[in-house]
Amino acid sequence: MGVAGTIWTEKKMNKKKAILKFFLPFVVIILGWAGMQLFIGLKKPPKKVEHEHLGILVEAVEAHRVNHRVVISETGEVKARKEVAITPEVTGKVVWVSPGFERGRFVKKGQELFRIERINFEAEVAKREKELKDAELNLEEIRSKAEIARQEWKGLHGRRAIPKNPLVLYGPQLKAARARVKADRFMLKKALYDLRHTTLRAPFPAVILKEDIEVGRFVRSGENVGIIVGTESVEIEVPLSLKEALYLVPPGENVNKGISATVSIGAGDGFFPWSGVLDRFLPDVDQAARLERAILVVQDPYQLKKRIPGRPDLRIGQFVEVRIPGRVLKDVIPLPAKALKDEQSIWVATPEHRLHIVPADVAYRDKSQIFIKGGIKDGDLVVISNISGAAEGMRLRLVVKGDS
């Protein structure tokens, strides 16, 4: 074979290699696809496992009927039980002011607060005493003259004769003299009264709330120079809804003054209790909130008789927490407040762990609890969890609160 034959043979071989390279990938793909289909055909499908739906996990509490005493918990404001404006009853210059007549100081009943210059009032007393003496002397003189005139008249005209002119027997003169004595006695009494009131005293045990007076100042009768507040007791004004008020005092009944209450002050990390008594209800409602107002009375608010270490005083204008026991609710079921759904229903879990929605018959509610009269019974499991899209008959998984 010559050179030409060799070249033709090589070209033929190169052509076969090119054809092989072109079709080889397609062959591999086809073989792979065929193998995959074979394996799929030989593989058994997995068995379907049915998972049982156990229900939504919720928390529940067991219902128990009890007799429950309502306790009204509200915020009250401390107010003065006795509050008096200090006003002098006479006019004059202030010559002395007690060191105790100062804002925040405590004073005893009868303690002097300040004095007004006395000399003008002493002179007035002396003048009225002299006028009374003169009037009494004049009365005695007229009595003597009247007695002489009666004796002379009887001697001349007899016992039964009556003069036409009453002045003859000094009758009108006696009446005028008696009236003058009576008037002068009252004027002396008024002068002595004014003299006594040049010294102004505290009318009851008090703390000075306000004062505005200095030595040398000229004060007028009726001018307000200070305010004092009684220290024997204070009032706590407590706003209440009508329903709360009726739980304290049923319709048609008077306030039972024996109802004790607890008044607490928050200070630091603790609360300090005081004992109070429900005294009365105010005759009008609060004009802003339209609420009833109960008045409690607390004794010795400034702890002047007995001080408890660490307990702060009750001060005018202070806000305090108040708890007042009211009437007893009989045969009710207490539940957490969150057991009430949409303000109108209760969710109960049936023995088959299904959700049952019942209307809520709420007898009373406070900040943390509701008290149910009807609709559920002892031993019912009440759902307190929230469920989105809750529906009657929904399956539940229960965790009963309080179970070990």
Side-chain angles (χ1 to χ4, degrees):
M1 186 182 291
V3 175
T6 304
I7 293 172
W8 181 85
T9 303
E10 288 179 355
K11 285 182 178 179
K12 189 176 181 180
M13 291 178 67
N14 288 337
K15 187 176 181 181
K16 289 180 179 179
K17 287 180 181 180
I19 292 170
L20 184 61
K21 286 182 180 179
F22 178 78
F23 285 104
L24 183 59
F26 293 101
V27 173
V28 173
I29 291 172
I30 291 169
L31 290 174
W33 178 81
M36 184 180 65
Q37 292 299 318
L38 179 62
F39 282 117
I40 290 174
L42 295 174
K43 186 177 179 181
K44 294 180 179 180
K47 294 181 179 179
K48 293 184 179 179
V49 179
E50 295 286 341
H51 290 285
E52 183 183 2
H53 179 60
L54 299 178
I56 297 175
L57 184 63
V58 294
E59 190 176 28
V61 294
E62 188 172 349
H64 295 289
R65 290 196 174 273
V66 298
N67 292 334
H68 174 77
R69 181 175 292 280
V70 173
V71 177
I72 307 298
S73 298
E74 291 292 347
T75 299
E77 183 181 356
V78 180
K79 297 197 172 186
R81 187 162 173 78
K82 289 182 180 179
E83 181 175 322
V84 171
I86 300 301
T87 55
E89 296 188 51
V90 296
T91 298
K93 185 173 70 174
V94 177
V95 294
W96 177 82
V97 177
S98 168
F101 191 38
E102 187 177 26
R103 191 176 183 186
R105 300 284 188 185
F106 294 95
V107 293
K108 298 177 180 179
K109 180 179 179 179
Q111 182 174 329
E112 291 186 14
L113 302 180
F114 62 90
R115 299 176 194 150
I116 294 173
E117 194 169 41
R118 293 168 58 92
I119 186 167
N120 292 335
F121 299 94
E122 290 172 342
E124 183 69 12
V125 169
K127 175 184 174 182
R128 296 302 179 184
E129 286 177 340
K130 178 182 180 302
E131 290 176 349
L132 177 60
K133 291 293 184 183
D134 290 344
E136 289 175 339
L137 178 60
N138 179 61
L139 176 61
E140 290 301 320
E141 289 177 350
I142 292 177
R143 280 175 177 168
S144 178
K145 291 179 180 179
E147 181 64 25
I148 294 172
R150 280 196 297 272
Q151 295 298 330
E152 290 178 350
W153 179 263
K154 290 178 183 178
L156 295 173
H157 304 285
R159 181 172 297 185
R160 295 184 178 182
I162 299 175
K164 294 181 180 181
N165 188 350
L167 294 174
V168 173
L169 298 181
Y170 287 85
Q173 295 92 321
L174 277 172
K175 289 181 180 178
R178 291 191 186 102
R180 180 184 169 186
V181 169
K182 184 177 181 180
D184 285 343
R185 282 175 180 166
F186 276 109
M187 294 303 294
L188 175 59
K189 188 176 181 180
K190 174 66 168 57
L192 290 169
Y193 178 89
D194 289 345
L195 179 61
R196 285 196 304 272
H197 285 81
T198 56
T199 299
L200 200 142
R201 303 175 184 273
F204 46 76
V207 59
I208 310 300
L209 190 64
K210 180 182 176 182
E211 52 83 19
D212 182 21
I213 194 168
E214 297 290 343
V215 172
R217 177 180 168 182
F218 189 85
V219 294
R220 298 186 179 278
S221 174
E223 182 181 355
N224 190 339
V225 297
I227 298 175
I228 62 173
V229 171
T231 56
E232 294 176 309
S233 61
V234 291
E235 295 182 347
I236 312 293
E237 185 176 303
V238 186
L240 301 172
S241 67
L242 178 59
K243 189 172 183 179
E244 287 176 321
L246 292 177
Y247 276 113
L248 293 178
V249 182
E253 294 187 14
N254 295 323
V255 174
N256 180 1
K257 293 189 177 183
I259 297 179
S260 298
T262 301
V263 177
S264 300
I265 310 174
D269 296 330
F271 280 85
F272 297 88
W274 292 77
S275 295
V277 176
L278 178 62
D279 184 69
R280 66 191 187 279
F281 283 91
L282 295 185
D284 57 338
V285 298
D286 179 77
Q287 293 301 307
R290 301 295 175 180
L291 294 173
E292 301 279 343
R293 290 174 293 174
I295 300 298
L296 308 182
V297 175
V298 178
Q299 300 294 330
D300 193 25
Y302 297 96
Q303 305 184 89
L304 300 177
K305 296 178 181 178
K306 181 180 180 181
R307 175 163 293 278
I308 296 178
R311 185 175 71 171
D313 297 338
L314 290 176
R315 301 191 179 277
I316 306 302
Q318 189 174 36
F319 287 101
V320 293
E321 297 299 318
V322 174
R323 288 174 59 84
I324 313 171
R327 294 190 290 122
V328 174
L329 300 175
K330 295 184 178 181
D331 200 27
V332 293
I333 296 175
L335 295 172
K338 59 185 178 179
L340 184 63
K341 309 300 182 184
D342 301 324
E343 296 294 321
Q344 62 183 3
S345 59
I346 299 291
W347 294 348
V348 177
T350 68
E352 295 78 23
H353 289 195
R354 298 286 182 174
L355 182 65
H356 178 45
I357 302 175
V358 299
D361 186 6
V362 180
Y364 180 75
R365 63 191 302 177
D366 57 26
K367 295 177 182 178
S368 61
Q369 287 184 303
I370 59 173
F371 298 87
I372 305 299
K373 289 192 293 186
I376 56 178
K377 57 184 183 298
D378 267 353
D380 279 350
L381 296 178
V382 178
V383 177
I384 60 175
S385 301
N386 289 323
I387 304 174
S388 179
E392 181 74 24
M394 178 181 286
R395 193 168 181 81
L396 304 173
R397 279 187 297 151
L398 299 176
V399 175
V400 181
K401 189 175 182 180
D403 283 2
S404 55

